[in-house]
Amino acid sequence: MPVLTRLRRPGTRQAGAAALTVALALLLAACGQNHPESIFHHRTDFNRDVDYLFKILIWAGTIVFVVVEGILVWTLIKFRHRPGQAAPQHVHGNTALEITWTVIPLLILIMIAIPTVRTIFKTQAKARSDALQVEVIGHQWWWEFRYPQYNVVTANELYLPIGRTVNFTLHSADVIHSFWVPALAGKRDVVSNHTNYLWYTPDSTTAAVFNGACVEYCGENHANMRFKAFTVSPADFESWAKHQAENAVGTAAPPATTAPAAAAAAAAPGTKTPATPAATVAQAPAAQVTQAGFIAYPRDSIPSYAIPQTPYPAGLTFDDNLLGHGDPANGAKLVVGQGACLGCHTIKGNPMMVGVVGPNLTHIASRTTIAAGLYPNDAQHLARWIKNARVMKPKVLMLTLGMGQYDPVAKTTMKSGLTDQQIADIVAYLQTLK
Amino acid sequence: MATAAVSPAYAHAGASEKSGVWSWLTTVDHKRIGALYLYTALAWFAIGGTEALIMRIQLQGPNGHVVSADTFNQLFTMHGTTMIFLVVMPLSAAFFNFLIPLQIGARDVAFPRLNAFSYWVYLFGSLFMNSSWLLGMAPNGGWFGYAPLTTMAYAPGLNIDFWMLGLQILGISSLAAAFNFITTIINMRAPGMNLMRMPMFTWMAFVVQFLLVLAFPVITIALVFLQFDRFFGTNFYTMTAGADPLLWQHLFWIFGHPEVYILILPAFGLVSEILPTFSSKPIFGYPVMVYSGILIAFLGFGVWAHHMFAVGMGPIADSVFSVTTMLIAIPTGVKIFNWIFTMWGGNLRFTVAMKFAISLVALFTIGGISGVMHASPPADLQQTDTYFIVAHFHYVLVAGSLMGLWGGIYYYFPKITGRKLSESIGNWHFWLTFIGVNLTFMPMHWSGLYGMPRRIYTYDAGQGWHIFNLMSSIGAYIQAVGVIIGFWNLFRSRKNGEIAGDDPWGAPTLEWSIPSPPPEYNFAVIPTVTSRYPLWDVKSPQLTAEVPHSKHGDERNDVQVGGKHVAAFHDHLSAGTPEGGINPNAKQASTKVPLKTAEQLGIPMPFPTIKPLFVALFMTFMFGSLILIHKDKTDLAITGVLVFAAAMTASLYLWLTSPLEPNHT
């Protein structure tokens, strides 16, 4: 770490200046990096407006900075003590000068204030009436997203059509949160007992993934209350929304048919998915599902910054060999039985699974992350999450379910509970819920 | 620490007859209380800084797990609370205590025992709040403790109880001190010391006391609501009962924004003392500096909702608070320019104190510019609650307040202890601090603009935040080294520093006309003040002759011709210093001859007393007993409150019925 060693030996002004130069060089180097959550991404009308203001602010700020620091440094050099220097004249002030440096900042501020107020009224006007309505509900510590126009309820992953204004209606289920996708728009607090609004129009030309986060401290897992926003083409969005509105795979109201699983999954949007034995569904290759129409952002095109890299907590083990051989049919029984998932989760179409405390699981397999963006949604993470969520993410409501696991909230060891095999079955079932 | 403020040269002099722990427990001397504030605040600074260091270790790289989420949340809550309420405010209070009477030519504050009480309340309140660490239940709601996160439904532990009761106790300390200083400044100025002759520090201190008096009752109300909610089941902030959580936010920030000026104005005052001295020039535009300080304080009450641009107040409120916030930049900018032009044309001596003062001017400007950026609500929605804000307020509070306060410590240490801090060690302290502060907080602007929320105990890899966090952490380690060096300088210079003499810097104000450290009575003869810069008038009348110091130019003539005002001032000088008159070069002389004691001079001084300490102690226990309610020991809690209330009242009665000082003859 040459930077460190250089910074540790300043002592003199020259060395200090050198260290600052190194820091500045580092900073410049850092600016060249990839910044997926930069607020300077121009992917919405909102961020363009903010960027316009920011340019004024940064330019005005830079000019003020250079002028003030320039005069200061000049003063320090020019009037430094020299041997034999005569005592300075006692100047007590200069009214003209003082009026000048009162008026100039005033003019700069007027220059900032006018576009500021215009932008305030523009961005806080009522959203257009044909906007896509999205209800955002902040929970400790996850996000619920509802699309009332499409009868969709999902969690932690937003889909937004490019070119259409989206109007968010923000509610909190508990404490104050704040809803923020930096690359798309400014934040808006999600305040208990209040309804807040925020609207913008994603106008990027290509589909993209953006990370979002809660930015109002909301308790222990504030840092782990993340979400994703996918901006997709309007057609893909319609397709996604139709799929999301459907009942879960294997739960449709019509009695079970013998239709093959692949056909079921490939059924045209808008038709009810025929119920099929869950085991059959599990064998359906994922590729065939996506061919049928857009139901989720393709996993292989998700950029690395949108894939969580949170390490497994120490001490939580799972027999990964069991994964991939799980019995989805047994898993489907376990979620309403011994697993007791029904207490908190909804799986639309399953009359037993109507809990509303936790995220809606109807199409959980179409999501890329679990635990509010903390872990990738794959078998390994899902299995550990079910086994001991409270170790994966401390203090969550989700109970510790694995047999013999220590529940750090209840401070007890689970004497009964799910075996690794049972968890593998549940994982297999959940993975069918595309 | 017990004998910290007493230089050995004065061991036999009047002021230091009293030494030992008991003398510190019973002291009512504003200078000793100031020293107590100083050393206590520095101790908390070490603790608050350690809390910050642990956080920086955690955030050094992505997915760090040195401490748990809960511990991290306690750390940032206590770091903020500690640095604001237990470090910067008490450090300012240390200077209020030590300097105000000296600068206005008084022998003590108006209410010496109330002054002691303020300190003990601060000490016990801070210990009470931090005792929560021993239970592993330190406050974890953030320093502004937004409801409903702090209500029983979401914070059932004792953490928040410690926080709200602690703040309530500390508020009493601040309020008592504020009334004391207001009274002191209004009533106890020396003859001739009209308001527009007061030194700039005393002026800023005066303004701050009004801020305290007006702002603290608001947080007190907010905290009383919270206490009633948590202890007695009321519904001020209970969401299920339909409460509006913005009630807390408005109340908190009506206090919280003036609080920002409570934190920065004392440092501004210190810088306004240091820059003229080391420029050998009067402050540029004294009246404008005074008025801008008052204006900042006044406007400071009308901007609180700029902390709430994201809560959805609507476009009209956002616009109004945006404009008022921008207006505050004007008087602040005026101050910056006036400081620079104080130095312009001067004879700049770059002592460590001067370097700290200059770095406040240079770095506060950065915090001011980012402050204007937040004043624009649409832009603020992309800044608030991110590391950009963290960068902003650390530039204001560390690069601003703390730099100014360190400057004040280097500048006034000789007056407090009689010895100078080492300049060579001080240079290390300064440069490491200066580089560390910038390396820590400058990159935070970028991590914020690149989307990093504040108050997260960890972050994922691949977000582009790593390099900035690494720089911040390295900067924090450099700062830590600087602070350790600074502490060592304080420690060694107390005993081994160069003997300072009365006026080691060639300063213009009254406190430098008396011995260092000052005798307990400060001024043997109360001086008659004829200008803003009485010492310069005496030492170099040819320079001060040109320009009137205040509107009372006629009195200045007396200075020139040796009229009655000058004569009075010389009387004070000759009585105060053993050899008589001012001789800034005679560093050894004043330490050899013992000073006269207050008794010898016939000056009545207040009796030392332990009673304020007991009142403060019982009051802390009275509040602290309430916590037992949440241990399901309501009976014990109520008993405790009643017993300690009775004990407090009894001590207060004894205090109020005992005489302050010997009968005047």
Side-chain angles (χ1 to χ4, degrees):
Chain A
M1 192 66 58
V3 182
L4 192 67
T5 47
R6 275 173 87 171
L7 289 175
R8 284 256 167 87
R9 261 183 268 117
T12 68
R13 212 172 309 174
Q14 288 79 3
L20 276 179
T21 314
V22 171
L24 205 66
L26 250 177
L27 212 59
L28 287 173
C31 293
Q33 287 191 331
N34 188 28
H35 301 293
E37 275 125 278
S38 168
I39 67 160
F40 298 113
H41 285 302
H42 304 157
R43 298 302 198 111
T44 58
D45 46 354
F46 192 110
N47 257 12
R48 272 178 232 283
D49 289 337
V50 168
D51 197 59
Y52 172 70
L53 276 180
F54 244 102
K55 282 207 176 89
I56 299 175
L57 290 166
I58 286 176
W59 276 110
T62 308
I63 292 167
V64 170
F65 177 80
V66 169
V67 169
V68 172
E69 307 288 347
I71 299 174
L72 175 63
V73 171
W74 172 250
T75 308
L76 297 181
I77 295 168
K78 189 168 188 313
F79 298 105
R80 68 186 187 279
H81 172 74
R82 295 183 185 83
Q85 191 174 339
Q89 200 192 346
H90 279 201
V91 180
H92 287 256
N94 183 319
T95 310
L97 265 179
E98 288 170 77
I99 289 173
T100 309
W101 60 60
T102 308
V103 172
I104 291 177
L106 185 66
L107 295 177
I108 295 175
L109 290 173
I110 290 173
M111 204 180 77
I112 295 170
I114 290 171
T116 291
V117 173
R118 290 165 70 113
T119 314
I120 291 173
F121 279 90
K122 183 183 170 194
T123 51
Q124 294 192 29
K126 236 178 143 97
R128 33 190 304 161
S129 55
D130 61 348
L132 169 69
Q133 301 292 331
V134 178
E135 280 177 39
V136 175
I137 302 165
H139 297 260
Q140 274 182 324
W141 295 280
W142 60 281
W143 297 94
E144 183 173 349
F145 300 123
R146 295 169 173 264
Y147 294 73
Q149 293 151 324
Y150 292 85
N151 198 21
V152 168
V153 180
T154 183
N156 302 324
E157 298 195 358
L158 266 177
Y159 278 74
L160 303 174
I162 293 167
R164 183 171 175 193
T165 300
V166 52
N167 183 34
F168 297 100
T169 308
L170 310 164
H171 295 282
S172 171
D174 35 56
V175 301
I176 300 174
H177 305 278
S178 192
F179 174 80
W180 191 38
V181 188
L184 294 181
K187 59 191 68 68
R188 185 58 75 193
D189 287 357
V190 180
V191 183
S192 334
N193 289 355
H194 274 255
T195 304
N196 272 341
Y197 301 94
L198 174 70
W199 60 262
Y200 48 75
T201 316
D203 53 6
S204 43
T205 48
T206 52
V209 192
F210 301 102
N211 288 333
C214 174
V215 275
E216 183 62 67
Y217 175 60
C218 58
E220 181 152 346
N221 271 297
H222 166 57
N224 299 333
M225 188 171 164
R226 308 169 191 168
F227 63 99
K228 312 238 167 287
F230 300 91
T231 55
V232 296
S233 72
D236 282 353
F237 175 78
E238 293 295 330
S239 167
W240 171 84
K242 270 191 183 118
H243 176 77
Q244 291 284 316
E246 286 167 10
N247 282 356
V249 172
T251 60
T257 69
T258 52
T271 61
K272 292 250 172 177
T273 309
T276 48
T280 328
V281 176
Q283 287 154 10
Q288 286 191 2
V289 177
T290 49
Q291 276 167 10
F294 185 93
I295 64 161
Y297 200 89
R299 288 240 179 163
D300 46 12
S301 29
I302 290 178
S304 63
Y305 64 77
I307 300 170
Q309 298 174 41
T310 315
Y312 292 121
L316 180 58
T317 57
F318 190 85
D319 184 0
D320 285 336
N321 294 325
L322 297 171
L323 298 170
H325 311 298
D327 174 9
N330 190 38
K333 283 182 205 141
L334 285 166
V335 294
V336 295
Q338 198 188 343
C341 310
L342 77 177
C344 301
H345 295 286
T346 292
I347 294 178
K348 199 166 156 190
N350 184 333
M352 309 271 281
M353 295 291 294
V354 291
V356 291
V357 178
N360 185 308
L361 300 180
T362 307
H363 296 282
I364 181 164
S366 71
R367 305 206 281 258
T368 63
T369 57
I370 56 169
L374 189 57
Y375 296 104
N377 183 10
D378 56 29
Q380 289 80 7
H381 286 91
L382 209 46
R384 284 167 177 78
W385 178 256
I386 295 167
K387 190 169 184 180
N388 201 338
R390 287 174 169 180
V391 167
M392 294 285 273
K393 185 172 172 178
K395 301 273 170 69
V396 287
L397 282 177
M398 171 94 178
L399 301 167
T400 295
L401 296 173
M403 187 188 283
Q405 287 290 303
Y406 180 73
D407 181 337
V409 176
K411 294 192 167 42
T412 53
T413 302
M414 298 290 291
K415 289 200 183 63
S416 61
L418 301 171
T419 62
D420 278 9
Q421 180 60 55
Q422 287 174 313
I423 291 172
D425 293 346
I426 293 176
V427 169
Y429 168 63
L430 292 177
Q431 290 198 310
T432 67
L433 301 180
K434 298 280 182 196
Chain B
M1 187 187 282
T3 55
V6 183
S7 160
Y10 287 97
H12 49 292
S16 39
E17 263 176 13
K18 306 162 209 125
S19 61
V21 175
W22 183 251
S23 77
W24 286 94
L25 297 178
T26 58
T27 186
V28 291
D29 180 345
H30 71 96
K31 298 177 290 297
R32 298 182 122 205
I33 291 168
L36 285 171
Y37 265 110
L38 175 67
Y39 296 120
T40 312
L42 287 174
W44 288 122
F45 179 55
I47 288 170
T50 308
E51 288 159 1
L53 273 183
I54 298 171
M55 290 191 282
R56 280 319 321 168
I57 293 169
Q58 170 102 341
L59 294 176
Q60 187 174 308
N63 290 317
H65 56 278
V66 177
V67 293
S68 70
D70 187 37
T71 306
F72 190 92
N73 295 343
Q74 296 181 19
L75 284 170
F76 76 66
T77 301
M78 284 308 286
H79 168 72
T81 307
T82 300
M83 288 305 192
I84 290 166
F85 295 100
L86 309 186
V87 177
V88 174
M89 283 179 74
L91 275 180
S92 305
F95 287 107
F96 297 156
N97 268 287
F98 189 82
L99 280 181
I100 289 174
L102 297 186
Q103 287 201 326
I104 63 173
R107 288 195 169 124
D108 206 325
V109 293
F111 310 113
R113 296 183 295 189
L114 187 65
N115 204 20
F117 171 76
S118 298
Y119 168 74
W120 294 114
V121 172
Y122 155 58
L123 178 69
F124 295 138
S126 62
L127 288 172
F128 170 76
M129 198 191 280
N130 276 275
S131 65
S132 57
W133 283 114
L134 304 176
L135 302 173
M137 287 190 176
N140 57 359
W143 89 272
F144 42 74
Y146 274 0
L149 188 62
T150 49
T151 58
M152 282 309 279
Y154 303 104
L158 301 183
N159 315 53
I160 301 298
D161 296 333
F162 277 106
W163 180 76
M164 65 179 183
L165 291 171
L167 280 194
Q168 199 72 294
I169 295 168
L170 292 167
I172 292 166
S173 164
S174 296
L175 279 172
F179 285 114
N180 201 347
F181 292 128
I182 289 175
T183 316
T184 305
I185 292 172
I186 290 178
N187 289 307
M188 299 181 68
R189 280 168 288 129
M193 173 72 78
N194 60 37
L195 285 178
M196 290 311 274
R197 281 180 189 160
M198 287 202 309
M200 279 305 298
F201 174 79
T202 298
W203 247 118
M204 291 304 108
F206 193 41
V207 172
V208 165
Q209 307 316 318
F210 282 100
L211 286 176
L212 284 164
V213 165
L214 295 171
F216 261 80
V218 187
I219 181 100
T220 304
I221 298 289
L223 287 166
V224 165
F225 289 170
L226 187 61
Q227 282 161 25
F228 270 68
D229 271 12
R230 290 183 64 88
F231 292 134
F232 311 125
T234 53
N235 293 321
F236 292 103
Y237 307 118
T238 308
M239 292 306 116
T240 47
D244 186 339
L246 298 189
L247 171 67
W248 170 271
Q249 292 195 14
H250 281 292
L251 289 175
F252 187 88
W253 289 118
I254 289 173
F255 150 79
H257 201 80
E259 172 71 13
V260 173
Y261 299 108
I262 291 169
L263 299 170
I264 192 67
L265 286 179
F268 279 6
L270 288 168
V271 166
S272 302
E273 298 293 330
I274 296 167
L275 293 180
T277 295
F278 295 114
S279 308
S280 307
K281 256 186 88 215
I283 194 95
F284 192 91
Y286 174 97
V288 173
M289 288 300 262
V290 171
Y291 298 145
S292 60
I294 296 172
L295 198 58
I296 288 172
F298 183 78
L299 290 173
F301 277 100
V303 301
W304 76 88
H306 69 210
H307 297 266
M308 300 164 60
F309 282 148
V311 305
M313 293 183 296
I316 293 172
D318 282 2
S319 303
V320 169
F321 282 101
S322 166
V323 170
T324 55
T325 304
M326 287 180 191
L327 284 179
I328 270 199
I330 296 172
T332 315
V334 165
K335 274 191 177 291
I336 300 275
F337 278 109
N338 278 26
W339 282 325
I340 294 176
F341 276 78
T342 299
M343 293 185 276
W344 183 274
N347 183 3
L348 305 182
R349 286 172 290 150
F350 296 111
T351 58
V352 176
M354 181 68 162
K355 283 175 186 158
F356 274 113
I358 292 169
S359 67
L360 179 145
V361 179
L363 301 182
F364 185 85
T365 304
I366 298 174
I369 290 170
S370 54
V372 172
M373 297 178 77
H374 311 318
S376 177
D380 182 62
L381 293 180
Q382 285 288 29
Q383 302 166 35
T384 187
D385 275 317
T386 73
Y387 263 80
F388 194 87
I389 282 282
V390 179
H392 161 73
F393 63 68
H394 281 92
Y395 262 95
V396 173
L397 291 181
V398 180
S401 298
L402 217 51
M403 285 284 196
L405 289 163
W406 273 119
I409 290 173
Y410 274 84
Y411 187 61
Y412 281 109
F413 191 83
K415 187 52 65 184
I416 298 171
T417 65
R419 290 173 186 271
K420 285 163 93 168
L421 285 162
S422 157
E423 286 284 310
S424 52
I425 300 173
N427 272 319
W428 279 90
H429 175 197
F430 169 75
W431 283 111
L432 286 171
T433 305
F434 184 83
I435 292 165
V437 162
N438 284 292
L439 188 56
T440 308
F441 303 120
M442 187 55 83
M444 287 183 182
H445 291 107
W446 275 267
S447 38
L449 294 179
Y450 291 143
M452 182 166 169
R454 72 191 276 206
R455 296 177 158 181
I456 53 176
Y457 76 96
T458 192
Y459 55 92
D460 206 358
Q463 313 301 302
W465 302 337
H466 180 189
I467 183 85
F468 301 105
N469 277 282
L470 181 64
M471 282 193 272
S472 292
S473 293
I474 294 171
Y477 309 148
I478 294 174
Q479 279 191 67
V481 176
V483 169
I484 290 168
I485 291 174
F487 274 41
W488 183 56
N489 198 3
L490 286 169
F491 182 76
R492 70 162 283 287
S493 301
R494 252 180 31 192
K495 293 278 164 61
N496 303 318
E498 183 191 343
I499 302 280
D502 299 355
D503 179 22
W505 312 120
T509 40
L510 279 186
E511 68 272 26
W512 302 102
S513 69
I514 56 174
S516 310
E520 66 169 328
Y521 46 80
N522 298 348
F523 298 91
V525 173
I526 297 295
T528 301
V529 180
T530 55
S531 84
R532 282 175 203 149
Y533 306 103
L535 266 69
W536 283 353
D537 286 344
V538 172
K539 281 183 287 185
S540 47
Q542 74 283 2
L543 285 174
T544 57
E546 291 295 323
V547 192
H549 296 144
S550 69
K551 287 173 183 167
H552 303 264
D554 52 334
E555 287 164 337
R556 182 185 53 85
N557 291 334
D558 294 336
V559 175
Q560 268 187 304
V561 298
K564 101 180 166 10
H565 297 289
V566 166
F569 192 70
H570 273 292
D571 281 351
H572 143 69
L573 290 174
S574 42
T577 56
E579 77 276 22
I582 279 195
N583 184 359
N585 298 321
K587 287 184 175 164
Q588 301 298 326
S590 66
T591 63
K592 281 176 185 159
V593 187
L595 288 168
K596 289 177 181 162
T597 63
E599 290 83 3
Q600 286 167 336
L601 289 167
I603 300 170
M605 294 307 292
F607 296 122
T609 170
I610 193 78
K611 287 157 199 151
L613 184 151
F614 276 112
V615 178
L617 186 67
F618 291 136
M619 197 187 75
T620 307
F621 280 128
M622 179 181 79
F623 277 107
S625 302
L626 280 169
I627 271 192
L628 292 169
I629 290 179
H630 286 163
K631 283 283 180 189
D632 287 331
K633 290 174 182 148
T634 310
D635 294 350
L636 198 60
I638 291 170
T639 314
V641 169
L642 292 176
V643 166
F644 289 117
M648 181 185 81
T649 312
S651 320
L652 191 61
Y653 179 81
L654 289 174
W655 163 4
L656 295 177
T657 51
S658 56
L660 171 69
E661 55 193 20
N663 285 330
H664 295 233
T665 48

